[in-house]
Amino acid sequence: GRRIAIGPHGLARWGGIVAVQVFTPMGRGEGALDALCDAAAAIFPDGLTLQGEGPIRFTPPSTRALPQDGTWLAAIVNCPFERDRA
């Protein structure tokens, strides 16, 4: 984390990524893979804030295709987030 100045005592900001691997059989096509990736990204959309010991804020997700193995189409959906803690 890094120290940021919020309030009189400051907070430590931590970042991370929720990574979702998505697979579909090659015969179903890239449209099916894209639909699954969109569904995964919609779980952690830009601006989503979860409450716990401190708020967790998600920023825009991104999708990256993975190498094909001849049987599966695959991609990874990265959903970055930040969390501030005292």
Side-chain angles (χ1 to χ4, degrees), residues 39-81:
I43 297 169
F44 303 102
D46 182 23
L48 173 67
T49 301
L50 303 175
Q51 297 299 327
E53 292 180 27
I56 298 171
R57 290 172 304 282
F58 284 85
T59 57
S62 63
T63 301
R64 178 175 51 92
L66 297 174
Q68 297 180 12
D69 69 357
T71 303
W72 298 96
L73 293 174
I76 190 160
V77 180
N78 289 314
C79 305
F81 65 87

Side-chain angles (χ1 to χ4, degrees), residues 2-7 9-13 84-86:
R2 64 180 193 263
R3 185 64 66 186
I4 59 172
I6 296 178
H9 305 291
L11 298 172
R13 177 162 286 167
D84 297 335
R85 293 183 60 187

Side-chain angles (χ1 to χ4, degrees), residues 5-55:
I6 296 178
H9 305 291
L11 298 172
R13 177 162 286 167
W14 301 92
I17 295 175
V18 174
V20 181
Q21 290 182 310
V22 180
F23 298 89
T24 190
M26 285 194 76
R28 297 199 59 203
E30 289 186 17
L33 182 66
D34 291 343
L36 291 171
C37 289
D38 290 346
I43 297 169
F44 303 102
D46 182 23
L48 173 67
T49 301
L50 303 175
Q51 297 299 327
E53 292 180 27

